[in-house]
Amino acid sequence: MEKENIAVGLDIGTTKIVAMIGRKNEYGKLEILGVGKSKSLGVARGVVNNITQTIQSIQLAVAEAENNSGYRINDVVVGIAGQHIRSIQHSDYISRSNPEEVIGDRDIDLLINQVHKLAMLPGEEIIHVLPQEFKIDGQSEIKEPIGMYGGRLESSFHVVVGQASSIRNVGRCIQSSGIELSGLTLEPLASADAVLSQEEKEAGVALIDIGGGTTDLAIFKDGIIRHTAVIPFGGNVITDDIKEGCSIIEKQAELLKVKFGSAWPGENKDNEIVSIPGLRGREPKEISLKNLSKIIHARVVEIIEQVFAEIKAYGHEDPRKKLIAGIVLTGGGAQLQHIKQLVEYITGMDTRIGYPNEHLAGNSDEEISSPLYATAVGLVMNSIQNNTRSAVPIEVVVEVVKPVVQRQPEPQPVQNEVVAEEEKEVVYADIQPKKEKIQESTENKIRKSFFDKYVDKIRDFLDNAE
C-alpha cells in the first residue's frame, strides 16, 4: 500500500500560531484534515523574543491540529518573516570550461552556490536565492537554460537576506516542541502560492499580506518574483492606536476593530455610538464610530503608503514593469471594512481581496477560506511539493481477549451450544498513540529546494549548540 503524502505547515505569527495538516485529493485540490490555532505569545513583529512562551504556543496549536485530524505531526514547513528580512537584486555569471556540452543542473547549482558566497552585513545570512532570467553568451530573457549550449552562463537573482540568530531561534522553538523542521519558506511567497493565479503573476501583481505584526509584500512580473519587502507594521499597531485614542484596554480595542472598524471614516454617521463596559464598577464608556474610523484610517494610510513606496522602488511607473493585475490584499488585516477602496484610492491600482479557496477542496470549512489562513495554506502547499510524509495516523490498536470459560464436568448437548457461543472472541478497541517507529518523512523527498541547504545548516547549528 502506498504511503499517504500528508503535509504540515506552521505559521508562526505575531498574533496567532497556526498548525495546518493537509493532503491532495484525487482532483488535485488541497484537503485540510485538521487545523490548530493558539494565541501567539513571545513573538513581536514576526521575531521570537521569548523562547519559552513561543514553545508553549506552538505545542498548543500542534496538539489541537492532531486532535482535530487524528494524525500525529512529525515535521513541519515553517514560514519566515519579520522586520529583519530584506531583499537585494544581484547578477552573477560562470564561464563554462566546455561550451560544447549542454548546460545541466550542475551548472545552475554552481552559479547559485557562487551567489551564496556574497559578503553580507555582520549577523546576516542569505536565506533564499531565486534565479530570475538567464543569459547565455549574450542572449537574454532565457527562462529555462538547461539543455542549451553556451560558454558564459549569466543570471539575475532575487536574494533574500535575514538575521541568522532570528531564524535559529525559530528552529530552536520547533525542535524544543518535539517536532522536526523540514523546510523554510518566506511567508509572502507562501501567501502568494495560496491566493495568486499564474495569469496574475504573468501580468504583474503586488501581493500585500497584512498580518498582526508585519505587512509583507511580494511583487511578481512575467511569472517571476521581482521584489519582496517586510514592513514592520501590521494589525497590532492599529489596535494600539485604538487603545490609546479611546482610553480602553487592548482586548476591547481588538473587538472594536474587528466588529465595528472601518478604514473609511465617511461611512459612519456622527450619531453612531458604541458603549464599552467600564472597568470594575465604573461607568460604561461611549465611543463614536466616526472617531474610531478616523483612528484606523490614519494608521492604515501610513501602512499603505509605505507599501506603495516599495512598489514604486521596484519601478511600477516604468511602462515595461507595470503591474497590470494591480494589488491583491490578504492576511487578517485584509478583512477590515473598506480597506480595498482605500488602497485603490491611495495607489490608483486595481485591488481585490485574496482568498485561498481556489486551491482548497470544495468541502473545506468556510473559516479556512478566510484571508487569515492564506499563509498557512501556502505552507501546506509548499510541504506537498516537497513530497513529505509529515504526519502519520494515530493507529487504533485492537486487542483480542478470549474469556476463560468454566465447563461443567458432564456437559449436556444443550449446554455445549451455550459454551460454543461463549467462546466467541470479544474485541476491545482502544485508541492509543502509534507505537511503531516512524520513518523520517523527509527521506522520500523527490527534490530539494534551495531552502533545504539552509535547514540543514540550522539543524547542524542546533545539534552543536546542545
Side-chain angles (χ1 to χ4, degrees), residues 353-373:
I353 306 295
Y355 298 90
N357 50 4
E358 184 189 334
H359 301 283
L360 295 173
N363 59 349
S364 296
D365 191 345
E366 194 178 327
E367 190 189 2
I368 297 163
S369 303
S370 158
L372 203 67
Y373 292 100

PDB file of all heavy atoms in Angstrom, residues 353-373:
ATOM      1  N   ILE A 353      -9.477  41.362  -2.807  1.00  0.00           N
ATOM      2  CA  ILE A 353      -9.113  40.609  -1.590  1.00  0.00           C
ATOM      3  C   ILE A 353      -8.763  39.182  -2.010  1.00  0.00           C
ATOM      4  O   ILE A 353      -9.504  38.553  -2.768  1.00  0.00           O
ATOM      5  CB  ILE A 353     -10.277  40.600  -0.566  1.00  0.00           C
ATOM      6  CG1 ILE A 353     -10.755  42.031  -0.256  1.00  0.00           C
ATOM      7  CG2 ILE A 353      -9.852  39.880   0.715  1.00  0.00           C
ATOM      8  CD1 ILE A 353      -9.752  42.916   0.430  1.00  0.00           C
ATOM      9  N   GLY A 354      -7.641  38.674  -1.526  1.00  0.00           N
ATOM     10  CA  GLY A 354      -7.176  37.338  -1.899  1.00  0.00           C
ATOM     11  C   GLY A 354      -7.629  36.278  -0.904  1.00  0.00           C
ATOM     12  O   GLY A 354      -7.292  36.349   0.279  1.00  0.00           O
ATOM     13  N   TYR A 355      -8.398  35.307  -1.396  1.00  0.00           N
ATOM     14  CA  TYR A 355      -8.847  34.166  -0.573  1.00  0.00           C
ATOM     15  C   TYR A 355      -8.124  32.905  -1.059  1.00  0.00           C
ATOM     16  O   TYR A 355      -7.975  32.713  -2.269  1.00  0.00           O
ATOM     17  CB  TYR A 355     -10.357  33.964  -0.689  1.00  0.00           C
ATOM     18  CG  TYR A 355     -11.176  35.130  -0.202  1.00  0.00           C
ATOM     19  CD1 TYR A 355     -11.541  36.158  -1.064  1.00  0.00           C
ATOM     20  CD2 TYR A 355     -11.579  35.220   1.134  1.00  0.00           C
ATOM     21  CE1 TYR A 355     -12.290  37.248  -0.617  1.00  0.00           C
ATOM     22  CE2 TYR A 355     -12.332  36.302   1.588  1.00  0.00           C
ATOM     23  CZ  TYR A 355     -12.677  37.305   0.704  1.00  0.00           C
ATOM     24  OH  TYR A 355     -13.416  38.385   1.141  1.00  0.00           O
ATOM     25  N   PRO A 356      -7.735  32.008  -0.133  1.00  0.00           N
ATOM     26  CA  PRO A 356      -7.031  30.796  -0.565  1.00  0.00           C
ATOM     27  C   PRO A 356      -7.947  29.672  -1.047  1.00  0.00           C
ATOM     28  O   PRO A 356      -7.516  28.544  -1.215  1.00  0.00           O
ATOM     29  CB  PRO A 356      -6.280  30.367   0.714  1.00  0.00           C
ATOM     30  CG  PRO A 356      -7.119  30.874   1.831  1.00  0.00           C
ATOM     31  CD  PRO A 356      -7.786  32.135   1.336  1.00  0.00           C
ATOM     32  N   ASN A 357      -9.265  29.982  -1.291  1.00  0.00           N
ATOM     33  CA  ASN A 357     -10.228  28.912  -1.593  1.00  0.00           C
ATOM     34  C   ASN A 357     -10.045  28.294  -2.977  1.00  0.00           C
ATOM     35  O   ASN A 357     -10.562  27.209  -3.241  1.00  0.00           O
ATOM     36  CB  ASN A 357     -11.674  29.422  -1.428  1.00  0.00           C
ATOM     37  CG  ASN A 357     -11.909  30.716  -2.168  1.00  0.00           C
ATOM     38  OD1 ASN A 357     -11.035  31.213  -2.863  1.00  0.00           O
ATOM     39  ND2 ASN A 357     -13.086  31.283  -2.008  1.00  0.00           N
ATOM     40  N   GLU A 358      -9.271  28.953  -3.871  1.00  0.00           N
ATOM     41  CA  GLU A 358      -9.082  28.404  -5.226  1.00  0.00           C
ATOM     42  C   GLU A 358      -8.395  27.027  -5.183  1.00  0.00           C
ATOM     43  O   GLU A 358      -8.679  26.150  -5.976  1.00  0.00           O
ATOM     44  CB  GLU A 358      -8.234  29.381  -6.060  1.00  0.00           C
ATOM     45  CG  GLU A 358      -8.070  28.925  -7.506  1.00  0.00           C
ATOM     46  CD  GLU A 358      -7.054  29.769  -8.278  1.00  0.00           C
ATOM     47  OE1 GLU A 358      -6.842  30.943  -7.912  1.00  0.00           O
ATOM     48  OE2 GLU A 358      -6.476  29.233  -9.226  1.00  0.00           O
ATOM     49  N   HIS A 359      -7.472  26.861  -4.229  1.00  0.00           N
ATOM     50  CA  HIS A 359      -6.710  25.612  -4.139  1.00  0.00           C
ATOM     51  C   HIS A 359      -7.322  24.606  -3.158  1.00  0.00           C
ATOM     52  O   HIS A 359      -6.818  23.492  -3.037  1.00  0.00           O
ATOM     53  CB  HIS A 359      -5.272  25.920  -3.712  1.00  0.00           C
ATOM     54  CG  HIS A 359      -4.565  26.844  -4.645  1.00  0.00           C
ATOM     55  ND1 HIS A 359      -4.064  26.430  -5.861  1.00  0.00           N
ATOM     56  CD2 HIS A 359      -4.285  28.172  -4.567  1.00  0.00           C
ATOM     57  CE1 HIS A 359      -3.505  27.456  -6.477  1.00  0.00           C
ATOM     58  NE2 HIS A 359      -3.630  28.516  -5.719  1.00  0.00           N
ATOM     59  N   LEU A 360      -8.378  25.015  -2.434  1.00  0.00           N
ATOM     60  CA  LEU A 360      -8.959  24.136  -1.413  1.00  0.00           C
ATOM     61  C   LEU A 360     -10.063  23.263  -1.985  1.00  0.00           C
ATOM     62  O   LEU A 360     -10.749  23.653  -2.929  1.00  0.00           O
ATOM     63  CB  LEU A 360      -9.525  24.978  -0.259  1.00  0.00           C
ATOM     64  CG  LEU A 360      -8.516  25.788   0.554  1.00  0.00           C
ATOM     65  CD1 LEU A 360      -9.236  26.693   1.548  1.00  0.00           C
ATOM     66  CD2 LEU A 360      -7.542  24.892   1.292  1.00  0.00           C
ATOM     67  N   ALA A 361     -10.217  22.073  -1.413  1.00  0.00           N
ATOM     68  CA  ALA A 361     -11.289  21.162  -1.820  1.00  0.00           C
ATOM     69  C   ALA A 361     -12.647  21.797  -1.507  1.00  0.00           C
ATOM     70  O   ALA A 361     -12.772  22.631  -0.599  1.00  0.00           O
ATOM     71  CB  ALA A 361     -11.140  19.830  -1.083  1.00  0.00           C
ATOM     72  N   GLY A 362     -13.657  21.383  -2.254  1.00  0.00           N
ATOM     73  CA  GLY A 362     -14.982  22.004  -2.139  1.00  0.00           C
ATOM     74  C   GLY A 362     -15.629  21.873  -0.780  1.00  0.00           C
ATOM     75  O   GLY A 362     -16.444  22.711  -0.398  1.00  0.00           O
ATOM     76  N   ASN A 363     -15.277  20.825  -0.022  1.00  0.00           N
ATOM     77  CA  ASN A 363     -15.929  20.613   1.277  1.00  0.00           C
ATOM     78  C   ASN A 363     -15.165  21.274   2.428  1.00  0.00           C
ATOM     79  O   ASN A 363     -15.405  20.977   3.591  1.00  0.00           O
ATOM     80  CB  ASN A 363     -16.061  19.110   1.559  1.00  0.00           C
ATOM     81  CG  ASN A 363     -14.704  18.401   1.576  1.00  0.00           C
ATOM     82  OD1 ASN A 363     -13.706  18.990   1.190  1.00  0.00           O
ATOM     83  ND2 ASN A 363     -14.682  17.151   2.008  1.00  0.00           N
ATOM     84  N   SER A 364     -14.225  22.183   2.117  1.00  0.00           N
ATOM     85  CA  SER A 364     -13.415  22.821   3.167  1.00  0.00           C
ATOM     86  C   SER A 364     -14.265  23.750   4.029  1.00  0.00           C
ATOM     87  O   SER A 364     -15.238  24.354   3.563  1.00  0.00           O
ATOM     88  CB  SER A 364     -12.279  23.625   2.549  1.00  0.00           C
ATOM     89  OG  SER A 364     -11.393  22.775   1.867  1.00  0.00           O
ATOM     90  N   ASP A 365     -13.870  23.865   5.271  1.00  0.00           N
ATOM     91  CA  ASP A 365     -14.547  24.741   6.226  1.00  0.00           C
ATOM     92  C   ASP A 365     -14.442  26.187   5.733  1.00  0.00           C
ATOM     93  O   ASP A 365     -13.399  26.612   5.232  1.00  0.00           O
ATOM     94  CB  ASP A 365     -13.856  24.604   7.597  1.00  0.00           C
ATOM     95  CG  ASP A 365     -14.654  25.260   8.707  1.00  0.00           C
ATOM     96  OD1 ASP A 365     -15.569  26.036   8.385  1.00  0.00           O
ATOM     97  OD2 ASP A 365     -14.366  25.001   9.885  1.00  0.00           O
ATOM     98  N   GLU A 366     -15.529  26.926   5.883  1.00  0.00           N
ATOM     99  CA  GLU A 366     -15.557  28.320   5.403  1.00  0.00           C
ATOM    100  C   GLU A 366     -14.499  29.175   6.094  1.00  0.00           C
ATOM    101  O   GLU A 366     -13.909  30.063   5.473  1.00  0.00           O
ATOM    102  CB  GLU A 366     -16.955  28.914   5.647  1.00  0.00           C
ATOM    103  CG  GLU A 366     -17.194  30.207   4.886  1.00  0.00           C
ATOM    104  CD  GLU A 366     -18.597  30.753   5.102  1.00  0.00           C
ATOM    105  OE1 GLU A 366     -19.532  29.955   5.264  1.00  0.00           O
ATOM    106  OE2 GLU A 366     -18.730  31.988   5.101  1.00  0.00           O
ATOM    107  N   GLU A 367     -14.219  28.878   7.364  1.00  0.00           N
ATOM    108  CA  GLU A 367     -13.238  29.669   8.125  1.00  0.00           C
ATOM    109  C   GLU A 367     -11.848  29.564   7.506  1.00  0.00           C
ATOM    110  O   GLU A 367     -11.098  30.535   7.459  1.00  0.00           O
ATOM    111  CB  GLU A 367     -13.192  29.197   9.582  1.00  0.00           C
ATOM    112  CG  GLU A 367     -12.385  30.134  10.479  1.00  0.00           C
ATOM    113  CD  GLU A 367     -12.145  29.558  11.867  1.00  0.00           C
ATOM    114  OE1 GLU A 367     -12.549  28.426  12.145  1.00  0.00           O
ATOM    115  OE2 GLU A 367     -11.530  30.277  12.667  1.00  0.00           O
ATOM    116  N   ILE A 368     -11.490  28.370   6.998  1.00  0.00           N
ATOM    117  CA  ILE A 368     -10.155  28.150   6.420  1.00  0.00           C
ATOM    118  C   ILE A 368      -9.993  28.944   5.124  1.00  0.00           C
ATOM    119  O   ILE A 368      -8.889  29.291   4.733  1.00  0.00           O
ATOM    120  CB  ILE A 368      -9.921  26.633   6.178  1.00  0.00           C
ATOM    121  CG1 ILE A 368      -9.943  25.885   7.513  1.00  0.00           C
ATOM    122  CG2 ILE A 368      -8.594  26.376   5.483  1.00  0.00           C
ATOM    123  CD1 ILE A 368     -10.123  24.401   7.401  1.00  0.00           C
ATOM    124  N   SER A 369     -11.116  29.241   4.445  1.00  0.00           N
ATOM    125  CA  SER A 369     -11.073  30.016   3.197  1.00  0.00           C
ATOM    126  C   SER A 369     -10.852  31.503   3.436  1.00  0.00           C
ATOM    127  O   SER A 369     -10.792  32.288   2.493  1.00  0.00           O
ATOM    128  CB  SER A 369     -12.380  29.831   2.421  1.00  0.00           C
ATOM    129  OG  SER A 369     -12.599  28.466   2.161  1.00  0.00           O
ATOM    130  N   SER A 370     -10.710  31.896   4.698  1.00  0.00           N
ATOM    131  CA  SER A 370     -10.515  33.305   5.045  1.00  0.00           C
ATOM    132  C   SER A 370      -9.085  33.749   4.700  1.00  0.00           C
ATOM    133  O   SER A 370      -8.154  32.942   4.749  1.00  0.00           O
ATOM    134  CB  SER A 370     -10.774  33.481   6.544  1.00  0.00           C
ATOM    135  OG  SER A 370     -10.142  34.632   7.033  1.00  0.00           O
ATOM    136  N   PRO A 371      -8.879  35.052   4.375  1.00  0.00           N
ATOM    137  CA  PRO A 371      -7.522  35.563   4.131  1.00  0.00           C
ATOM    138  C   PRO A 371      -6.595  35.353   5.325  1.00  0.00           C
ATOM    139  O   PRO A 371      -5.374  35.319   5.178  1.00  0.00           O
ATOM    140  CB  PRO A 371      -7.748  37.066   3.883  1.00  0.00           C
ATOM    141  CG  PRO A 371      -9.168  37.205   3.504  1.00  0.00           C
ATOM    142  CD  PRO A 371      -9.904  36.108   4.189  1.00  0.00           C
ATOM    143  N   LEU A 372      -7.187  35.184   6.510  1.00  0.00           N
ATOM    144  CA  LEU A 372      -6.431  34.962   7.746  1.00  0.00           C
ATOM    145  C   LEU A 372      -5.514  33.741   7.644  1.00  0.00           C
ATOM    146  O   LEU A 372      -4.441  33.691   8.232  1.00  0.00           O
ATOM    147  CB  LEU A 372      -7.442  34.757   8.877  1.00  0.00           C
ATOM    148  CG  LEU A 372      -7.030  35.015  10.319  1.00  0.00           C
ATOM    149  CD1 LEU A 372      -6.763  36.486  10.546  1.00  0.00           C
ATOM    150  CD2 LEU A 372      -8.102  34.536  11.267  1.00  0.00           C
ATOM    151  N   TYR A 373      -5.962  32.718   6.882  1.00  0.00           N
ATOM    152  CA  TYR A 373      -5.232  31.450   6.799  1.00  0.00           C
ATOM    153  C   TYR A 373      -4.443  31.295   5.500  1.00  0.00           C
ATOM    154  O   TYR A 373      -3.974  30.198   5.193  1.00  0.00           O
ATOM    155  CB  TYR A 373      -6.211  30.277   6.950  1.00  0.00           C
ATOM    156  CG  TYR A 373      -6.809  30.174   8.333  1.00  0.00           C
ATOM    157  CD1 TYR A 373      -8.079  30.653   8.602  1.00  0.00           C
ATOM    158  CD2 TYR A 373      -6.088  29.616   9.379  1.00  0.00           C
ATOM    159  CE1 TYR A 373      -8.635  30.579   9.862  1.00  0.00           C
ATOM    160  CE2 TYR A 373      -6.638  29.534  10.650  1.00  0.00           C
ATOM    161  CZ  TYR A 373      -7.901  30.009  10.883  1.00  0.00           C
ATOM    162  OH  TYR A 373      -8.432  29.937  12.153  1.00  0.00           O
TER     163      TYR A 373
END
